[in-house]
Amino acid sequence: MATTALNVNDPGRAGRIATTRLKILLGHLQGPAAPAIAAYLTSGSVAPLDFHPRKFQYTLDNTVLTLEQRQFYEDNGFLVIKKLVSEEDIQRYRDQFERICRKEVEPPGIEIMKDVTIAKSNLSPDEKIITKIQNFQKDEELFSYCTLPQIVKYVECFTGPDIMAMHVMLINKPPDSGKKTSRHPFHQDLHYFPFRPPNSIVCAWTAMEHIDRNNGCLVVLPGTHKGTLKPHDYPKWEGGVNVTFHGIQDYDLNQPRTHLVMEKGDTVFFHPLLIHGSGRNRTEGFRKAISCHYASSDCFYIDVKGTSQENIAKEILRLMERKHGVTNVQFKDAWKLRARLVKGKRINL
């Protein structure tokens, strides 16, 4: 049997011979029906084998999410992280909410909302009257939720390192009055946002107490984040609908849905195209949650004129004029005023 001498002064030739021998060996091991196995030179100029060849559209490469978590979000459009926010932080947000309800503090720019069934009542402001506060970007106590390191590290998996807080809320879902106004129709959050792309936007929503179907937990339609933005408008509910509670006008009623039962501190991250809503609160207590919509500061504003979002844009601008006397502004200007940098640098938003 002839032997082939290796020329130590020609490492390239030695490598080619080694590769040839490896291919012959692999051919014997695999057989004709086996899948091909690539043979590579052990050289720094050759890319290493990729042991995780999955392609993800909705998350960025990171060291926080496991492959299973990334795949779950890819398939479903949401991901629940248990016990992410401490009880101490949640109590701070609850205390500040109550101070705002009692008007002991009045952060600039904050919007206070009541349920439609009591909106015109003359009851004294307290926790039982206020059903939601939003736009608290200038309240340092509540805004600290948006900058919690354990929240932001997950957000960065969706947005990248330059992060803006675009919309903030503390929701105080009241016991239903009997008219079912405490429920929230199925909707997509992107309906409210004049910025894109949607894959660079994510919501963090944290339960401030045990939440289940009795007190109106979130309900999601898994996988609907893969679709497009649907037309929204007010649902035709007999008992009335809260201001700006737009809902999708057509969706498959038989589509599988998931009720997110959550404990205090659990946080769900979800995509802005995910169809979701919440049921009515059948208990005597209030159901609280705090949330922030984040976006990459590299996102860009769009003109919603002539699109399905034009109705909500006109409504929000009318509300700004009536409540704050603001006129001659565009829809995107309202969002520019609210946006606040969380991490990195502000680029477009």
Side-chain angles (χ1 to χ4, degrees):
M1 177 178 176
T3 59
T4 303
L6 294 179
N7 183 353
V8 294
N9 296 319
D10 183 6
R13 182 170 180 270
R16 290 191 294 274
I17 292 171
T19 300
T20 301
R21 289 176 177 171
L22 180 57
K23 287 181 177 178
I24 293 171
L25 176 60
L26 290 173
H28 289 304
L29 292 173
Q30 293 174 190
I37 301 176
Y40 292 100
L41 291 172
T42 55
S43 166
S45 63
V46 178
L49 286 170
D50 182 4
F51 294 101
H52 304 297
R54 307 181 204 180
K55 301 298 181 183
F56 296 101
Q57 181 178 351
Y58 301 104
T59 57
L60 303 173
D61 290 341
N62 64 85
T63 59
V64 177
L65 299 176
T66 66
L67 286 174
E68 290 72 22
Q69 288 173 325
R70 292 186 71 182
Q71 191 63 54
F72 187 89
Y73 189 88
E74 189 81 9
D75 295 337
N76 296 283
F78 70 95
L79 180 68
V80 177
I81 305 298
K82 307 294 287 184
K83 297 293 181 183
L84 191 60
V85 179
S86 71
E87 292 196 15
E88 292 76 15
D89 283 328
I90 288 173
Q91 188 60 50
R92 287 198 298 123
Y93 307 142
R94 182 184 291 272
D95 292 343
Q96 183 70 350
F97 172 73
E98 292 176 359
R99 285 190 288 267
I100 291 172
C101 290
R102 296 192 297 266
K103 293 190 174 183
E104 293 175 10
V105 292
E106 298 185 44
I110 201 166
E111 185 175 354
I112 297 175
M113 304 178 72
K114 301 178 182 178
D115 188 85
V116 64
T117 58
I118 56 174
K120 296 181 180 180
S121 69
N122 294 319
L123 298 172
S124 300
D126 64 17
E127 181 187 2
K128 296 181 180 180
I129 303 301
I130 308 303
T131 57
K132 181 193 293 186
I133 59 173
Q134 57 186 16
N135 303 330
F136 53 72
Q137 284 91 330
K138 294 184 179 180
D139 183 281
E140 296 302 327
E141 187 77 341
L142 291 179
F143 189 77
S144 67
Y145 166 79
C146 306
T147 62
L148 288 175
Q150 65 268 37
I151 294 277
V152 174
K153 78 173 185 179
Y154 280 98
V155 170
E156 192 167 346
C157 300
F158 308 96
T159 64
D162 301 309
I163 306 172
M164 300 293 294
M166 302 301 295
H167 185 233
V168 290
M169 295 186 297
L170 195 155
I171 305 150
N172 188 44
K173 184 187 280 283
D176 196 84
S177 64
K179 296 185 178 181
K180 302 179 181 180
T181 55
S182 65
R183 57 184 169 165
H184 199 300
F186 277 119
H187 64 284
Q188 296 164 298
D189 290 339
L190 194 67
H191 172 65
Y192 298 90
F193 302 155
F195 44 90
R196 300 293 187 273
N199 290 354
S200 296
I201 305 168
V202 70
C203 178
W205 193 100
T206 298
M208 295 178 66
E209 55 205 304
H210 173 81
I211 296 177
D212 57 26
R213 296 183 68 167
N214 289 324
N215 59 4
C217 64
L218 285 180
V219 187
V220 301
L221 304 188
T224 50
H225 65 300
K226 299 176 183 178
T228 59
L229 181 60
K230 297 180 178 295
H232 290 58
D233 210 334
Y234 282 109
K236 296 176 175 59
W237 290 348
E238 291 183 5
V241 186
N242 284 301
V243 174
T244 70
F245 273 32
H246 288 196
I248 294 174
Q249 297 303 291
D250 61 330
Y251 64 92
D252 184 0
L253 295 174
N254 298 316
Q255 189 162 350
R257 58 187 66 183
T258 299
H259 293 80
L260 299 185
V261 176
M262 301 170 68
E263 300 300 330
K264 182 189 294 187
D266 292 355
T267 302
V268 58
F269 297 89
F270 60 90
H271 192 278
L273 282 172
L274 181 72
I275 297 175
H276 65 288
S278 63
R280 55 187 169 131
N281 183 357
R282 296 180 173 88
T283 71
E284 296 302 316
F286 287 75
R287 187 272 271 162
K288 289 182 175 61
I290 188 169
S291 72
C292 177
H293 278 93
Y294 300 88
S296 167
S297 73
D298 198 32
C299 287
F300 54 88
Y301 287 104
I302 64 167
D303 185 358
V304 301
K305 186 176 182 179
T307 73
S308 64
Q309 293 179 257
E310 189 170 9
N311 58 351
I312 189 63
K314 289 180 177 179
E315 183 172 356
I316 288 177
L317 292 177
R318 285 196 299 268
L319 288 171
M320 289 180 65
E321 181 177 2
R322 190 178 78 226
K323 292 184 176 182
H324 308 291
V326 177
T327 59
N328 299 320
V329 296
Q330 297 181 357
F331 188 37
K332 64 181 181 181
D333 295 328
W335 288 96
K336 287 181 179 179
L337 291 171
R338 298 169 178 167
R340 180 171 172 180
L341 185 67
V342 171
K343 181 182 179 182
K345 58 182 181 295
R346 189 167 189 170
I347 301 173
N348 294 327
L349 296 182

